[in-house]
């Protein structure tokens, strides 16, 4: 029967593993989390480990808990009790010397972490060896394996940097030769010892400290190579060889080692065929990794000495060729990329020539691997036996192989690679084209693969290519009407639209082929046609500009039949054709294409208002996207003296957009699409939208007030940046009016913050502080002295209670920028416009204002930032949070130190270690005095991270650290 001392732990673990209510599991989780941080865990974990009635899963939990206690809470124990703790761990490790391995591993980690921190313990290896004894071979090997792994991860250990460096030297560097001798001795003790995977894992781990040269020049090299022939040690031997490779990447320093290793590695090439014949996927992957990682490590030598290292490249190529299941070939992709990067450098031109034949073979191998699997019937549609996961994996794998084909293009020229695909297409046409019917296309996989290859290589082909494409494109547009062939052909044509733009005689036949695809019964082909048309419209817009009216008829007939993504892509294509029209025709063509869209908007808006479901509202939002695409892409230059024709059209459609925003104040998705459209007008036409601003500003103000949606602030931000001081064609009166508009929006936001909790409006907070960051950059001379500056600082402090990463990071960025105006290095820039830096008197005034605000709100700011770092901030926010504290220490060091110490004093009793507050304050003072901000950041993050690991936020709140509700009376 379990002891009463840990019965609650057993009960909680049972609850976590049973099918009870989620609330009970949460309660059990909270109990276990508290137990792991408690003082009682020291004795309870040992009691659990020695209890014969406790299941192994619970003992593993106890060992894991003990590991955490030693890593983070060792200061809970008197220093004099550490030898007793060490002896207890060794006793438990002896108990579990034969397994189960997970428990043994955790206990080894416990012992190592204790050894790191118990700096008075000098004879670690000999002491552990003598206590565990000769019959605990695997246990000692695992301890030796864990030792370098844990020591090199020592930042989580609560030691000073100096003590950690010293202890690392004592435990690793000073023991390296002794460990090497022990491993050699053990490997000679028996044939089974030489094949023990634990030995090989230990060698891999100690390669962090023992130079690869010492391993290679010892009997251990033959032990590792021989282990490759053992089923039990094969995987560990592969890992060990790869660890040795990594230590020889500095090839000039390691050339002697490579000379010893290389013949042994190449001599293993017959194992490739053996593994392929055995059809053991794991063994084949291991062999492939053995050669591929050798290639990655020695790629410089392979390029430098092509005659001497060709054998290794041939072995890697053989791994690719024999991989019928395509499970291992991806392990070679990194090598081919790095090899390509090396031999395309002029310095290694000779190697490029020498290896050209191997890259040519690689192209053939890759195209063959691109083939879909064959089915029982030539037109079988389900080629993966219903396994959609396998099908998706194959599709992703093909794109990775396409990248290798691009690498080949750079080595042996695009023309040769394209030529290989062309020959395969030509061969299929001459062999099977006559047998194809409307319902059956024989061996279509052999045609589809080179089509995919052509698509993959498209990005590498110059628009001036003159050998292959003019022969292959007429073939592509005549392929049989098979779904996968049609899809791949359409996608391939879409990749060569830049070439087509330079060869207009090939445009019509391709465009006919693509447009016909919009009526294809396969949805996949229709989607491919829309994507391809997008590229034709983008790259061939000049060739199509005279066909703009005819294309409109096609656009209108096809649009509503397409899925949304394809509607976007088709719209993108035609919008670029519209953008190619002469400036005086832009307005006419926009009306031709967009007026029908506006009619759809009106109809769909009325339908969405009157229906209960969601579909109509989603359709309305999607239609707004189509309009935005036109505004994004139809941009032409007009002199300042001429009216911008696109802006003229935008002015006509604004009332409809205003009406939609006013009628859907509760639909953030629709409001965001409307605001994106408005913002795109500003970004596309810049200062030319000045005639739209009065009405637009009014809508932005009323829209935010009525909906409280952050997207209205997002558009405000765009206006603020485009019409800032010093922008061309912007007069001071306009700039001043826009700043007043910004203040109006800021006041509206502060009123929202006054009424709602930050947790209810995280997206609005994110948008507002993005706006505020830009306001500080472009309007600091007006914002900092303004009455709203103080309340916005208070709002930022209140927003730090959030736990979502994005709004927190933006708020912390604003705080860092704001505090910078209290220093000599404000976060402002005049790059790209005529703004001048603030005068000395202005800068001094800014510093005074910022310091006054910090003097009144700095304590609350320190409390919120520290509380966030210790309890609630996501990890990615900690750097910026520390940056805020550093800025405060730079700005007002004495006051910030008092606030910092005061915040620590308010933490729950017992959560801060004795003397820890004094130690961290002394470290902070020393780093500030030395001007070492990098180490100051480390001090702050180490303190808060250590506290966070040891403690959880109290269930009853943070007491005096609880955030105060934001109030605004403006």
């Amino acid at each position: 029967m379990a002891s009463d001392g840990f019965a609650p732990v057993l009960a909680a673990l049972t609850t976590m593993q049973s099918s009870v209510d989620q609330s009970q599991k949460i309660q059990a989780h909270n109990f276990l989390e508290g137990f792991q941080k408690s003082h009682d865990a020291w004795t309870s974990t040992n009691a659990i480990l020695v209890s014969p009635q406790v299941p192994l899963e619970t003992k593993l939990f106890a060992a894991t808990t003990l590991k955490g206690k030693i890593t983070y809470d060792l200061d809970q124990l008197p220093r004099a009790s550490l030898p007793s703790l060490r002896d207890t761990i060794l006793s438990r490790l002896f108990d579990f010397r034969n397994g189960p391995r997970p428990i043994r591993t955790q206990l080894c980690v416990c012992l190592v972490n204790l050894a790191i921190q118990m700096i008075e313990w000098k004879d670690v290896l000999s002491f552990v060896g003598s206590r565990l004894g000769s019959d605990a071979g695997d246990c000692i090997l695992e301890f030796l394996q864990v030792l370098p792994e844990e020591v090199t991860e020592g930042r989580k250990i609560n030691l000073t940097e100096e003590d950690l460096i010293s202890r690392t030297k004592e435990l690793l560097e000073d023991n390296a030769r002794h460990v090497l001798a022990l491993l050699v001795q053990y490997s000679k003790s028996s044939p089974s010892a030489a094949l023990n995977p634990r030995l090989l894992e230990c060698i891999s781990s100690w390669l962090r400290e023992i130079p690869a040269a010492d391993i290679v020049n010892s009997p251990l090299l033959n032990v590792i190579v021989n282990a490759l022939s053992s089923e039990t040690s094969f995987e560990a031997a592969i890992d060990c060889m790869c660890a040795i490779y990594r230590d020889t990447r500095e090839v000039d320093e390691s050339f002697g080692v490579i000379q010893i290793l290389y013949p042994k590695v190449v001599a293993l090439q017959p194992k490739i065929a053996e593994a392929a014949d055995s059809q053991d996927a794991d063994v084949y992957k291991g062999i492939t990794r053995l050669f591929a990682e050798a290639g990655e490590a020695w790629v410089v030598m392979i390029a430098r000495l092509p005659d001497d290292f060709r054998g290794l490249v041939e072995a890697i190529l053989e791994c690719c060729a024999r991989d019928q299941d395509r499970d291992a070939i991806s392990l070679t992709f990194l090598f081919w990329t790095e090899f390509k990067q090396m031999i395309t450098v002029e310095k290694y031109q000779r190697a490029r020539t020498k290896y050209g034949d191997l890259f040519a073979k690689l192209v053939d191998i890759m195209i063959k691997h691109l083939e879909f699997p064959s089915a029982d019937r030539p037109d079988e549609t389900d080629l993966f036996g219903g396994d959609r996961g396998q099908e998706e994996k194959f599709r992703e794998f093909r794109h990775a192989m396409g990248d290798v084909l691009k690498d080949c293009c750079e080595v042996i020229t695009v023309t040769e690679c394209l030529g290989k695909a062309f020959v395969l297409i030509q061969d299929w046409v001459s062999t099977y084209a006559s047998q194809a019917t409307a319902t059956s296309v024989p061996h279509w996989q052999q045609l589809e693969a080179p089509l995919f290859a052509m698509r993959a290589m498209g990005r590498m082909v110059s628009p001036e290519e003159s050998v292959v494409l003019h022969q292959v494109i007429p073939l592509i547009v005549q392929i049989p009407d098979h779904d996968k062939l049609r899809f791949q052909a359409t996608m391939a044509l879409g990749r060569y639209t830049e070439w087509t733009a330079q060869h207009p005689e090939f445009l019509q036949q391709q465009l006919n082929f693509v447009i016909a695809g919009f009526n294809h019964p396969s949805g996949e082909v229709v989607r491919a046609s829309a994507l391809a048309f997008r590229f034709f419209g983008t790259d061939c817009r000049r060739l199509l500009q005279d066909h703009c009216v005819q294309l409109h008829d096609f656009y209108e007939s096809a649009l509503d039949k397409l899925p949304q993504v394809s509607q976007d892509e088709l719209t993108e294509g035609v919008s670029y054709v519209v953008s190619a029209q002469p400036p005086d025709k832009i307005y006419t063509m926009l009306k031709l294409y967009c007026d029908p869209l506006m009619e759809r908007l009106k109809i769909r808006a009325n339908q969405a208002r009157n229906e209960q479901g969601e579909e109509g509202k989603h359709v309305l939002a999607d239609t707004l996207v189509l309009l935005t695409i036109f505004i994004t892409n139809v941009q032409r230059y007009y002199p300042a003296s001429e009216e911008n024709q696109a802006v003229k059209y935008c002015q006509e459609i604004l009332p409809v957009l205003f009406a939609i925003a006013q009628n859907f104040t509760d639909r953030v998705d629709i409001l965001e699409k409307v605001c994106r459209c408005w913002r795109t007008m500003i970004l596309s036409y810049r200062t030319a939208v000045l005639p739209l601003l009065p009405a637009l500003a009014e809508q932005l103000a009323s829209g935010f007030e009525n909906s409280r949606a952050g997207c209205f602030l997002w558009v405000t931000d765009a206006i603020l940046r485009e019409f800032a001081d010093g922008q061309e064609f912007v007069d001071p009166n306009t700039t001043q009016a826009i700043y007043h508009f910004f203040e109006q929006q800021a006041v509206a936001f502060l009123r929202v913050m006054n009424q709602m909790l930050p947790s209810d409006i995280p997206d609005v907070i994110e948008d507002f502080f993005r706006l505020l960051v830009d306001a500080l950059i472009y309007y600091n001379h007006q914002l900092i002295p303004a009455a709203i500056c103080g309340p916005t600082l208070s709002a930022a402090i209140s927003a730090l209670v959030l736990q979502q990463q994005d709004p927190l990071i933006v708020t912390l960025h604003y705080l860092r920028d704001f505090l910078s105006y209290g220093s000599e290095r404000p976060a402002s820039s005049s790059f790209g416009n005529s703004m001048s830096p603030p005068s000395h008197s202005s800068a001094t005034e800014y510093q005074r204002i910022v310091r006054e605000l910090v003097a009144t709100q700095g304590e609350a700011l320190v409390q919120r930032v520290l509380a966030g770092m210790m309890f609630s901030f996501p990890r990615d926010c900690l750097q910026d949070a520390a940056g805020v504290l550093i800025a405060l220490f730079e700005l007002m060091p004495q006051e910030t130190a008092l606030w910092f110490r005061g915040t620590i004093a308010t933490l729950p009793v017992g959560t801060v270690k004795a003397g820890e507050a004094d130690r961290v304050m002394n470290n902070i003072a020393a780093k500030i005095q030395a001007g070492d901000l990098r180490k100051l950041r480390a001090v702050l993050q180490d303190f808060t991270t250590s506290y966070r690991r040891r403690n959880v936020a109290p269930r009853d709140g943070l007491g005096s650290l609880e955030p105060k509700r934001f109030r605004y009376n403006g």
Side-chain angles (χ1 to χ4, degrees), residues 28-42:
H29 176 270
N30 292 338
F31 170 80
L32 291 172
E33 192 177 50
F35 165 74
Q36 289 181 313
K37 297 177 185 296
S38 71
H39 200 284
D40 292 341
W42 290 108

Side-chain angles (χ1 to χ4, degrees), residues 126 142 278 337 549 579 657:
S126 58
E142 185 152 18
S278 72
T337 296
V549 175
S579 73
L657 299 177

Side-chain angles (χ1 to χ4, degrees), residues 442-623:
H443 303 287
W444 60 266
Q445 293 93 337
Q446 296 177 24
L447 176 58
E448 194 272 350
L451 286 172
F452 182 93
M454 288 206 59
R455 169 188 166 193
M457 293 184 286
R459 187 167 59 85
M460 309 301 297
V461 179
S462 164
E464 284 76 39
E465 201 281 330
S466 59
V467 178
V468 178
L469 289 180
H470 75 280
Q471 300 179 70
V472 74
I473 282 180
L475 285 180
I476 291 177
V477 297
Q478 298 179 51
I479 61 152
D481 192 16
H482 180 282
D483 289 1
K484 283 188 166 51
L485 293 178
R486 184 84 186 209
F487 170 82
Q488 212 55 257
T490 304
M491 295 294 283
L493 293 179
R495 283 297 180 96
Y496 291 93
T497 51
E498 289 186 21
W499 181 88
T500 302
Q502 302 294 323
H503 300 81
E505 65 274 20
F506 292 93
L507 173 62
Q508 192 63 55
Q509 55 185 311
Q510 294 181 73
L511 203 58
N512 291 342
F513 183 86
V514 169
I515 289 176
F518 281 87
N519 296 316
H520 200 277
S522 166
E524 196 174 50
V525 173
V526 172
R527 291 190 293 274
S529 300
L531 180 59
F533 188 88
R534 170 190 165 194
F535 293 125
F536 276 100
T538 302
D539 295 327
C540 303
R541 67 186 88 169
R542 302 296 175 194
L543 301 180
L544 294 171
Q545 66 179 18
D546 294 336
H547 304 281
C548 201
V549 175
Q550 297 94 308
L551 282 176
H552 169 259
D553 296 337
F554 158 67
Y555 177 69
E556 277 296 308
S557 65
L559 185 65
D560 294 330
K561 302 174 187 176
L562 299 174
Q564 184 56 43
V565 172
S566 297
Q567 287 188 25
D568 295 350
E569 289 164 347
L570 177 61
T571 302
E572 187 125 356
V574 297
S575 68
Y576 276 111
V577 177
V578 171
S579 73
Q581 300 303 300
D584 60 342
K585 291 187 177 180
I586 291 293
Y587 172 77
T588 303
M589 287 302 164
L590 276 175
K591 281 190 70 66
L592 178 67
Y593 276 87
C594 294
D595 276 359
L597 290 180
M598 297 307 299
E599 288 303 314
R600 286 180 175 89
L601 277 178
K602 294 174 188 176
I603 295 169
R604 291 169 182 176
N606 288 329
Q607 291 172 341
R609 284 184 61 194
N610 296 326
E611 71 172 25
Q612 298 298 317
E614 293 290 304
E615 184 179 354
K617 297 177 178 64
H618 292 317
V619 171
L620 173 62
D622 292 339
T623 308

Side-chain angles (χ1 to χ4, degrees), residues 590-777:
L590 276 175
K591 281 190 70 66
L592 178 67
Y593 276 87
C594 294
D595 276 359
L597 290 180
M598 297 307 299
E599 288 303 314
R600 286 180 175 89
L601 277 178
K602 294 174 188 176
I603 295 169
R604 291 169 182 176
N606 288 329
Q607 291 172 341
R609 284 184 61 194
N610 296 326
E611 71 172 25
Q612 298 298 317
E614 293 290 304
E615 184 179 354
K617 297 177 178 64
H618 292 317
V619 171
L620 173 62
D622 292 339
T623 308
L624 285 163
V625 172
L626 303 182
L627 180 65
T628 304
I629 290 171
F630 276 101
I631 295 170
T632 301
N633 295 331
V634 181
Q635 300 181 36
R636 294 303 300 264
Y637 171 75
Y638 293 89
S641 58
E642 292 183 19
E643 182 181 24
N644 187 303
Q645 296 289 296
V647 173
K648 177 182 177 182
Y649 184 74
C650 289
Q651 195 159 18
E652 287 185 9
I653 64 175
L654 276 181
V656 176
L657 299 177
F658 291 163
I660 292 173
Q662 291 162 5
N663 283 289
F664 291 92
T665 55
D666 59 336
R667 295 292 305 203
V668 174
D669 56 338
I670 293 174
L671 293 177
E672 285 182 349
K673 297 298 190 299
V674 173
C675 286
R676 183 183 296 275
C677 188
W678 291 340
R679 183 174 181 269
T680 303
M681 292 177 187
I682 296 161
L683 298 181
S684 292
Y685 310 126
R686 307 182 75 86
T687 53
V689 301
L690 189 60
L692 312 184
L693 285 188
L696 186 55
E698 183 180 341
Q699 285 297 321
L700 291 173
S702 63
F704 179 64
E705 187 173 349
N706 295 330
S707 69
R708 298 178 175 179
C711 53
F712 292 97
L713 302 177
W714 190 41
V715 185
T716 303
D717 190 13
I719 295 174
L720 202 70
R721 280 185 277 110
E722 290 300 328
F723 291 89
D725 267 347
Q727 294 287 3
E728 192 177 10
F729 307 125
V730 179
D731 64 77
N733 291 333
T734 300
T735 300
Q736 187 63 29
I738 286 170
Y739 174 76
H740 286 310
F741 166 56
F742 155 73
E743 275 205 0
Q744 181 184 353
Q745 294 288 72
V747 168
F749 169 80
L750 295 173
R751 288 172 179 161
V752 171
M753 276 281 285
N754 188 54
Q755 297 166 9
M756 303 182 73
L757 293 173
S759 57
D760 295 330
I761 52 169
D763 293 341
V764 182
I765 288 173
E766 179 183 349
D767 288 322
F768 176 72
F769 284 104
R770 288 191 192 281
L771 169 63
L772 210 55
V773 166
D774 282 336
L776 264 180
I777 293 174

Side-chain angles (χ1 to χ4, degrees), residues 113-131:
N113 283 334
L114 179 60
I116 297 170
Q117 298 177 80
M118 196 173 166
I119 56 180
E120 63 272 21
W121 182 17
K122 301 299 182 183
D123 58 339
V124 174
L125 295 190
S126 58
F127 189 91
V128 171
S130 64
R131 288 293 299 272

Side-chain angles (χ1 to χ4, degrees), residues 155-343:
R155 272 317 308 159
K156 64 186 178 185
I157 297 295
N158 192 24
L159 285 180
T160 65
E161 198 167 335
E162 295 76 15
D163 284 344
L164 184 59
I165 292 171
S166 173
R167 196 60 173 154
T168 300
K169 181 179 183 299
E170 289 176 358
L171 292 174
L172 299 185
E173 186 179 334
D174 294 349
N175 283 316
R177 290 192 176 279
H178 178 50
V179 170
L180 177 60
L182 284 175
L183 297 177
V184 172
Q185 181 182 350
Y186 176 81
S187 70
K188 293 179 178 179
S189 63
S190 70
S192 61
L195 297 176
N196 188 347
R198 304 291 89 75
L199 169 65
L200 298 162
E201 290 166 359
C202 194
I203 295 170
S204 298
S205 182
W206 274 89
L207 275 162
R208 292 172 169 86
E209 288 299 321
I210 301 174
D214 292 352
I215 300 289
V216 169
N217 289 305
S218 77
L220 292 177
L221 177 59
N222 287 331
V223 169
I224 298 166
V225 173
N226 292 336
L228 291 168
S229 301
S230 167
E231 185 177 341
T232 58
S233 58
F234 175 79
E235 188 174 340
I238 292 291
D239 289 339
C240 199
M241 288 292 288
C242 292
I244 293 173
Y245 298 156
R246 286 192 288 273
D247 202 41
T248 61
R249 281 183 174 271
E250 296 294 330
V251 293
D252 291 318
E253 296 175 9
S254 305
F255 187 58
V257 177
I258 296 171
Q259 284 182 307
I260 297 171
L261 279 173
Y262 180 75
K264 292 184 177 295
V265 173
V266 174
L268 297 169
Q269 187 170 353
K271 287 186 174 294
I272 301 173
E274 293 174 15
D277 293 341
S278 72
Q279 296 185 336
D280 187 324
D282 290 335
V283 172
Y284 197 87
K285 283 182 181 178
I287 291 295
T288 302
R289 186 175 161 222
L290 178 77
F291 289 106
E293 293 202 22
E296 292 167 23
W298 304 336
V299 67
V300 175
M301 280 299 173
I302 295 172
R304 191 182 294 170
L305 302 170
D307 296 324
D308 298 328
F309 283 84
R310 181 183 174 93
L312 179 55
V313 183
E314 289 175 342
I316 298 171
L317 188 69
E318 184 181 349
C319 289
C320 296
R322 290 185 180 273
D323 186 17
Q324 296 304 313
D325 294 330
R326 295 175 283 214
D327 285 331
I329 191 172
S330 61
L331 297 172
T332 71
F333 291 168
L334 179 59
F335 164 73
W336 294 119
T337 296
E338 293 185 349
F339 189 29
K340 175 267 298 183
Q341 290 172 343
M342 191 64 60
I343 64 175

Side-chain angles (χ1 to χ4, degrees), residues 325 327 384 386-396:
D325 294 330
D327 285 331
F384 295 89
D387 189 341
R388 296 303 171 207
Q390 191 66 25
E391 183 173 1
E392 185 60 32
K393 180 181 174 183
F394 176 69
R395 291 178 188 276
E396 292 175 3

Side-chain angles (χ1 to χ4, degrees), residues 57 68 170 274 439 445 480 796 834 941 968:
E57 293 84 358
E170 289 176 358
E274 293 174 15
T439 58
Q445 293 93 337
S834 60
Q941 289 189 225
Y968 178 67

